[in-house]
Amino acid sequence: YQTRIRYVVNDLHVIGGFIATITYRGEEYVTTNPIGAGYFEVSKDSDVSDDDLVYHEASSSPWYILAKNELMSDDAYWIWDANINNAITFEFDFEEIAQPVTGAIYDEEADGDTVSMTCKHGINGIAAIYGANCRKGDQGSLPGGERQDGPMKEECYGKTSCDYTIDHTEIGDPCSGTVKDFYYAYTCTGNKYGVNVGSLGISEASGQSFTISCEGDDMVIKVADAIYGLNCQITPRVCGAYSGLAYGTSASPLDVTSYVQDECNGESSCTYTVNHSILGDPCSCVVKDFVYAYQCVPS
């Protein structure tokens, strides 16, 4: 998902053009008119602006590309700047179509903080959990937190940029009196498969298991993110000399994405058991939560 393809195109004495179709997970991404409507762009290295570009349909003379290459979409456009003896570099960035964006508020109470999301062509799937560190027995507790997909989608879906402020008076408080974290994931319009999130928070996550699954023929799991101890900085310790005090910035959540990916990626269903003896312990004496994000994608 961090791949960027660069096409350095040289014009040799006769006006030519650049045209492309990329097929990824069954979806086609083409050179569009205007170029900004799609996922190709002119590199910042080129001395050409989008306003300089000229467009022709794929079947336009003199190239007739459809007769020469059956893999080229008839929705693709030829692009150039009408000059000759020059070069233009085009780029295709997989980031917005290949991987969800994940983020969290974990260094203070999330209520009152703002989450910022941006997508070139609009925000698509959104999933979030407020208070993954809520425990069974906490006042008014919803152990493992409360999903906040609905409120975030209502405010941000389809926008190219959105600032969402967490307000417990509007979305509810999954465990009053507890300093809560906030975990979220979202996809951009070019990513067709949405995103799911989950948490383990009834008690210490180590020793607990969760199951994720994908329905539909040839759909499999693709884990985007997994964090053990998102609440390390805000939840008071329950043992040791500093019992009752939180670590603050002296402890950090542990990124364990690769462990869950190794076990679950490519499977239609997967049960993962959290084990601190394998993952490590990011903050001893803290009852830690576990959050994760994944997609269901074609195999």
Side-chain angles (χ1 to χ4, degrees):
Y1 67 92
Q2 294 176 325
T3 299
R4 180 181 285 267
I5 301 176
R6 291 168 59 91
Y7 305 86
V8 181
V9 187
N10 292 285
D11 183 273
L12 302 176
H13 312 303
V14 178
I15 292 178
F18 172 70
I19 189 169
T21 299
I22 288 179
T23 303
Y24 179 70
R25 289 184 182 158
E27 300 290 336
E28 287 187 338
Y29 302 89
V30 303
T31 43
T32 54
N33 177 11
I35 193 171
Y39 293 88
F40 289 88
E41 60 186 33
V42 174
S43 170
K44 295 179 176 63
D45 299 339
S46 296
D47 295 327
V48 176
S49 72
D50 289 2
D51 294 336
D52 298 325
L53 299 176
V54 178
Y55 303 89
H56 295 282
E57 294 182 352
S59 57
S60 296
S61 61
W63 306 290
Y64 301 110
I65 190 66
L66 291 185
K68 299 177 182 178
N69 189 339
E70 62 182 12
L71 298 178
M72 187 66 66
S73 170
D74 56 8
D75 293 325
Y77 277 81
W78 287 99
I79 304 176
W80 202 248
D81 67 346
N83 291 320
I84 60 174
N85 299 320
N86 61 334
I88 302 177
T89 300
F90 297 88
E91 296 185 354
F92 184 90
D93 189 351
F94 280 88
E95 184 174 10
E96 286 201 0
I97 68 171
Q99 182 79 353
V101 180
T102 60
I105 298 171
Y106 59 85
D107 58 350
E108 61 183 351
E109 165 59 45
D111 181 47
D113 268 0
T114 299
V115 170
S116 296
M117 299 179 285
T118 58
C119 286
K120 181 179 178 182
H121 298 290
I123 297 164
N124 188 7
I126 304 174
I129 298 173
Y130 177 38
N133 59 314
C134 289
R135 297 285 173 265
K136 184 177 181 179
D138 289 348
Q139 184 176 351
S141 179
L142 289 172
E146 186 171 9
R147 292 291 293 265
Q148 296 299 328
D149 309 17
M152 292 187 75
K153 286 179 180 177
E154 185 176 347
E155 189 163 332
C156 298
Y157 182 83
K159 295 181 179 180
T160 57
S161 179
C162 182
D163 294 327
Y164 176 81
T165 300
I166 302 157
D167 183 352
H168 80 274
T169 63
E170 293 186 2
I171 64 176
D173 191 335
C175 51
S176 59
T178 297
V179 180
K180 292 168 286 296
D181 51 27
F182 189 91
Y183 181 70
Y184 65 95
Y186 68 96
T187 55
C188 298
T189 298
N191 189 318
K192 311 291 185 181
Y193 302 104
V195 63
N196 300 291
V197 297
S199 67
L200 291 173
I202 296 176
S203 59
E204 164 60 41
S206 182
Q208 293 191 66
S209 300
F210 62 90
T211 298
I212 51 181
S213 58
C214 294
E215 298 181 355
D217 294 340
D218 299 322
M219 298 299 285
V220 297
I221 297 163
K222 181 175 182 287
V223 176
D225 191 41
I227 300 175
Y228 178 38
L230 185 64
N231 61 320
C232 274
Q233 296 186 6
I234 58 175
T235 299
R237 283 165 276 199
V238 295
C239 63
Y242 297 97
S243 180
L245 298 176
Y247 274 93
T249 56
S250 64
S252 296
L254 189 61
D255 184 343
V256 296
T257 306
S258 62
Y259 290 92
V260 187
Q261 288 176 334
D262 288 346
E263 195 157 327
C264 295
N265 273 10
E267 302 293 333
S268 59
S269 181
C270 176
T271 298
Y272 184 84
T273 300
V274 181
N275 186 341
H276 74 275
S277 64
I278 295 174
L279 303 177
D281 191 337
C283 49
S284 61
C285 290
V286 171
V287 180
K288 292 170 285 296
D289 58 14
F290 190 100
V291 294
Y292 55 92
Y294 70 98
Q295 291 186 287
C296 293
V297 301
S299 59

